[in-house]
Amino acid sequence: KFDFTQNGVTFHLRHGHGLDRTFDVRHRRWPRFIAGFVSRTEKVVAQIFGRRHLAFYRRENEVLKLWKTKNFPVNDWLLCGHNHLAELDKVAKYANSGLFLSGNLASYLLVENGKINLHYING
């Protein structure tokens, strides 16, 4: 959890699964081997389908956008990570850095002078 203001714009950084545990396999009290299996399976699916498989996580981002509207002023930004689907929604003032499954599926957010950009590594 980290908040900062840059050029008059306030940003709230939060770990995505920390806000809404609905999608966190570790939170469901599943045995560790099941969570590990899910993680390894996703890596294989990502190798086969690339970024296309990440559309499965669109609902997570929608849940977090709704959480943002209930918890922060409309002009503040919510920046999250770990929710798999990288997104920059300038209307909702929501950004998700996505995940770092491998060098081929990595993405990150860059905040400079009160503006935010989403960057993909290796397309």
Side-chain angles (χ1 to χ4, degrees):
K1 174 178 169 179
F2 183 73
D3 300 322
F4 68 97
T5 300
Q6 193 178 83
N7 282 11
V9 180
T10 301
F11 297 91
H12 304 277
L13 281 69
R14 301 293 187 271
H15 188 270
H17 285 149
L19 302 179
D20 183 83
R21 308 296 302 255
T22 305
F23 305 99
D24 193 347
V25 295
R26 291 175 303 244
H27 179 67
R28 295 183 183 181
R29 302 184 196 282
W30 289 350
R32 187 174 288 210
F33 75 90
I34 292 177
F37 174 77
V38 169
S39 179
R40 286 188 300 280
T41 301
E42 182 171 27
K43 288 180 183 180
V44 171
V45 170
Q47 288 175 343
I48 295 169
F49 296 103
R51 290 190 195 286
R52 290 176 294 168
H53 94 283
L54 297 174
F56 175 76
Y57 296 100
R58 188 169 319 281
R59 171 88 172 103
E60 279 186 66
N61 285 355
E62 295 305 317
V63 167
L64 291 173
K65 287 179 200 179
L66 180 60
W67 185 92
K68 186 249 180 203
T69 63
K70 294 178 180 178
N71 292 278
F72 295 124
V74 69
N75 288 323
D76 287 9
W77 277 84
L78 172 61
L79 309 181
C80 293
H82 189 85
N83 286 8
H84 299 254
L85 179 61
E87 180 179 359
L88 177 61
D89 184 334
K90 293 182 179 183
V91 173
K93 296 197 184 304
Y94 168 82
N96 189 313
S97 63
L99 78 162
F100 189 89
L101 250 176
S102 69
N104 292 331
L105 285 177
S107 51
Y108 64 95
L109 299 169
L110 182 63
V111 179
E112 291 182 303
N113 301 316
K115 295 186 179 169
I116 186 163
N117 289 295
L118 172 63
H119 298 273
Y120 294 97
I121 298 173
N122 296 329

